[in-house]
Amino acid sequence: EHEMPAIALNESVSVTPKLFIGLWTELTEEGWSADGKCAVSRKVECPHPLAQKPLQAVSTDTGPTVEISPSPAETVGEIEQQLGQLRTVIGTKLQSRQVGLLGSGVNPDLGVTLDEYYRYRTPRSAYDYAINERGWHHETMLNIAAIQEVLDIPIAQAPAILAVLHRLSGVILFLNRNDPGLGGQESKGILSIRPAAWRDQVPTTTGIFAGDCLKVYLPSQEINTWQTYLNLLWDANPMFLLGTKSNGLIYVPEHPTFGTFISSPPREGWTARRLDTSESIRVIPDMGHVAQTDWTYMGFARLRLFWKSDTKLEEVVEAYHCGGVGLESFLLSHLEKVLLENRSSASPPPGEEMCSLAFIVGLIENFSAVERFVKAKPYSFWLALAKGAETLPMMSKVEGVDVVDLLSQVLSLSNSGLLQRGYGEEEYLDSLFRRITEGQSPSERMLKFYEVGGKLNVIDKLLYRFPI
């Protein structure tokens, strides 16, 4: 999933939701299918046979950020080809509207004020619920953009892979940060605004929703088993929303945890409230609700779970409360597939889009060696590394460990994994090796652009340009 900030190329243009509604309308007239009010999708001619959703999709998220999503494919090169095609289709249409797409993890046109948020945000009822009912500060998300790597992974190894990606979030931040604080005293010295944007979105309180802060950024206690991951999803905080992100959303005003929701429902079901009409309805827990819970954890790596069609809710509840080996055995038997979604990579500069995907693919392919490497240091070290990546230059030390040397070792492990795959994908790591050699991430480069010519120079250097 590749997100790109959308910026005005003409002072008379305003990149508000109205502009995107016009874009979606034009695309549906050309044969795309509407997906709610904020997205469109289309089928691909030759989808991968194992793809659950063989679609290409385009949407906006949070604010004026275009997200393009290719159909699942076998190789990094195939994904690159699809993203290039999608970027050209959407970028050309936006360029004709005097709107540009930027290869940046931060939108230089926007801050995070409430006025900006309510003017430019993507209107979704899920966001309103988080703000009005749970006290979230969603405006912190307005100006950030990411590239999110999504991979099929072995079900049995899924919790261990998740734990490794959490540990390596600092490595990924150091290598791929492209989102420094631009202008303003409050952002001075910040080399990656993405972590703080996620943390600051969820207020730390002592009220009923205090546990919400556990569902963003990185877990303070390591999550490395199916039991701890499902505890995080289902019992760390009051249940979020039921339904998809865009359609049919409801919430339960009693605010049970999801574990309580499925384990101890009232005889006639829970009283719930629709977001679109405020109508009260009765809801009986079912497997559809279980399948919707994986997106409610918004950490820097998460698992997406696909359940077999014959799985029964009462069996899930029993296995969850049994825990341990019984839960692991149940999941191995009843999950169809598991996806890993990495969420710590800032949107990359033009021409370097595939380096983070190749990096993650290589790590998973060489997983045993990577796991041994990260386990040589305690979880607390990796948390400190992630925190350091927000402000420290690449040429630094964290707890006495040379950052560049550490990045080089992890990158070599990934390179070995890509060589094992045999698709020639190791070439996509060249830009990462170059960043290590130069001792600077794209964030440092962007700050130099800003120092020389301000916001306009950043836009000039990072703008995608499409022939009309």
Side-chain angles (χ1 to χ4, degrees):
E1 300 173 348
H2 183 195
E3 301 169 355
M4 294 160 285
I7 59 171
L9 300 177
N10 186 307
E11 291 183 357
S12 64
V13 175
S14 185
V15 191
T16 60
K18 182 179 179 180
L19 180 140
F20 292 106
I21 290 171
L23 176 61
W24 308 145
T25 300
E26 181 177 336
L27 289 168
T28 56
E29 290 172 351
E30 295 176 2
W32 293 64
S33 299
D35 184 7
K37 297 178 180 179
C38 308
V40 293
S41 63
R42 67 180 181 183
K43 295 179 180 179
V44 294
E45 290 185 3
C46 299
H48 193 282
L50 299 180
Q52 292 279 348
K53 288 186 176 182
L55 301 171
Q56 294 176 333
V58 185
S59 64
T60 55
D61 198 13
T62 305
T65 301
V66 174
E67 180 178 299
I68 55 176
S69 303
S71 179
E74 187 72 24
T75 68
V76 177
E78 291 172 287
I79 295 296
E80 180 182 37
Q81 183 178 34
Q82 288 190 63
L83 287 179
Q85 293 169 346
L86 288 169
R87 198 163 44 241
T88 299
V89 169
I90 304 308
T92 300
K93 290 183 180 296
L94 287 173
Q95 193 169 274
S96 70
R97 292 167 164 82
Q98 293 297 299
V99 173
L101 293 178
L102 208 62
S104 169
V106 57
N107 190 324
D109 275 350
L110 290 178
V112 291
T113 66
L114 277 174
D115 286 346
E116 288 172 301
Y117 177 74
Y118 284 112
R119 177 171 171 77
Y120 295 106
R121 69 170 186 158
T122 300
R124 281 197 175 110
S125 56
Y127 301 161
D128 290 334
Y129 166 78
I131 295 166
N132 297 329
E133 295 290 331
R134 302 175 86 103
W136 288 26
H137 304 307
H138 209 257
E139 69 273 13
T140 65
M141 308 295 296
L142 185 64
N143 67 344
I144 62 172
I147 192 163
Q148 291 161 178
E149 305 84 18
V150 183
L151 290 79
D152 284 82
I153 58 174
I155 297 170
Q157 290 182 294
I161 292 173
L162 178 78
V164 165
L165 265 291
H166 277 150
R167 285 184 173 225
L168 290 177
S169 290
V171 169
I172 297 165
L173 285 166
F174 265 113
L175 283 173
N176 294 293
R177 60 192 182 187
N178 190 33
D179 54 333
L182 295 177
Q185 194 63 32
E186 72 283 353
S187 65
K188 190 173 182 180
I190 298 178
L191 289 169
S192 179
I193 66 172
R194 182 171 181 77
W198 278 104
R199 284 196 308 268
D200 294 348
Q201 178 189 201
V202 181
T204 302
T205 68
T206 56
I208 185 174
F209 300 117
D212 284 3
C213 67
L214 301 174
K215 305 294 278 291
V216 297
Y217 183 54
L218 290 171
S220 57
Q221 301 297 317
E222 185 156 35
I223 305 298
N224 55 12
T225 65
W226 278 117
Q227 184 73 61
T228 54
Y229 187 63
L230 291 184
N231 286 347
L232 180 67
L233 280 184
W234 294 353
D235 277 314
N237 65 337
M239 188 170 69
F240 200 64
L241 294 165
L242 300 174
T244 67
K245 190 186 292 187
S246 300
N247 297 306
L249 290 168
I250 61 174
Y251 71 98
V252 178
E254 289 183 45
H255 298 301
T257 67
F258 185 79
T260 299
F261 173 79
I262 59 175
S263 301
S264 306
R267 180 172 298 180
E268 296 182 358
W270 295 92
T271 298
R273 186 168 297 161
R274 291 174 59 104
L275 288 192
D276 55 354
T277 65
S278 296
E279 172 192 2
S280 291
I281 58 174
R282 304 296 288 187
V283 176
I284 305 293
D286 61 31
M287 278 304 299
H289 298 133
V290 174
Q292 294 162 2
T293 58
D294 55 9
W295 72 272
T296 63
Y297 172 58
M298 292 163 279
F300 272 7
R302 67 183 176 191
L303 305 176
R304 310 304 298 265
L305 312 180
F306 294 80
W307 297 85
K308 292 182 178 178
S309 58
D310 61 351
T311 306
K312 295 179 173 58
L313 179 65
E314 55 268 26
E315 297 173 334
V316 174
V317 172
E318 181 180 355
Y320 179 55
H321 289 298
C322 174
V325 175
L327 175 61
E328 292 176 11
S329 177
F330 176 81
L331 292 173
L332 282 172
S333 299
H334 289 82
L335 286 174
E336 187 74 42
K337 68 186 296 185
V338 174
L339 299 182
L340 171 78
E341 182 180 336
N342 183 63
R343 297 164 50 80
S344 53
S345 303
S347 190
E352 301 179 18
E353 294 87 2
M354 293 296 99
C355 63
S356 64
L357 176 59
F359 180 57
I360 302 301
V361 169
L363 293 176
I364 303 305
E365 193 71 26
N366 196 21
F367 180 69
S368 295
V370 173
E371 184 179 37
R372 287 195 299 272
F373 181 84
V374 301
K375 282 188 172 181
K377 298 186 185 301
Y379 185 61
S380 59
F381 166 79
W382 299 105
L383 290 180
L385 185 74
K387 185 62 178 174
E390 297 179 46
T391 57
L392 293 177
M394 194 179 285
M395 305 289 284
S396 300
K397 290 187 177 182
V398 172
E399 295 188 356
V401 176
D402 184 273
V403 170
V404 169
D405 183 57
L406 180 67
L407 300 182
S408 181
Q409 292 179 71
V410 179
L411 193 51
S412 294
L413 289 169
S414 174
N415 190 72
S416 296
L418 293 177
L419 288 169
Q420 293 171 34
R421 278 170 59 84
Y423 292 120
E425 295 161 325
E426 58 275 7
E427 68 178 2
Y428 293 105
L429 300 184
D430 288 349
S431 59
L432 298 183
F433 279 113
R434 185 169 59 252
R435 291 170 193 177
I436 290 176
T437 300
E438 295 173 353
Q440 64 174 10
S441 63
S443 277
E444 283 95 330
R445 273 189 275 163
M446 193 190 301
L447 284 174
K448 289 180 180 178
F449 299 154
Y450 190 81
E451 290 166 4
V452 170
K455 181 182 74 173
L456 293 179
N457 194 41
V458 170
I459 293 172
D460 179 65
K461 293 293 193 296
L462 300 178
L463 185 69
Y464 284 98
R465 292 175 171 86
F466 305 96
I468 296 179

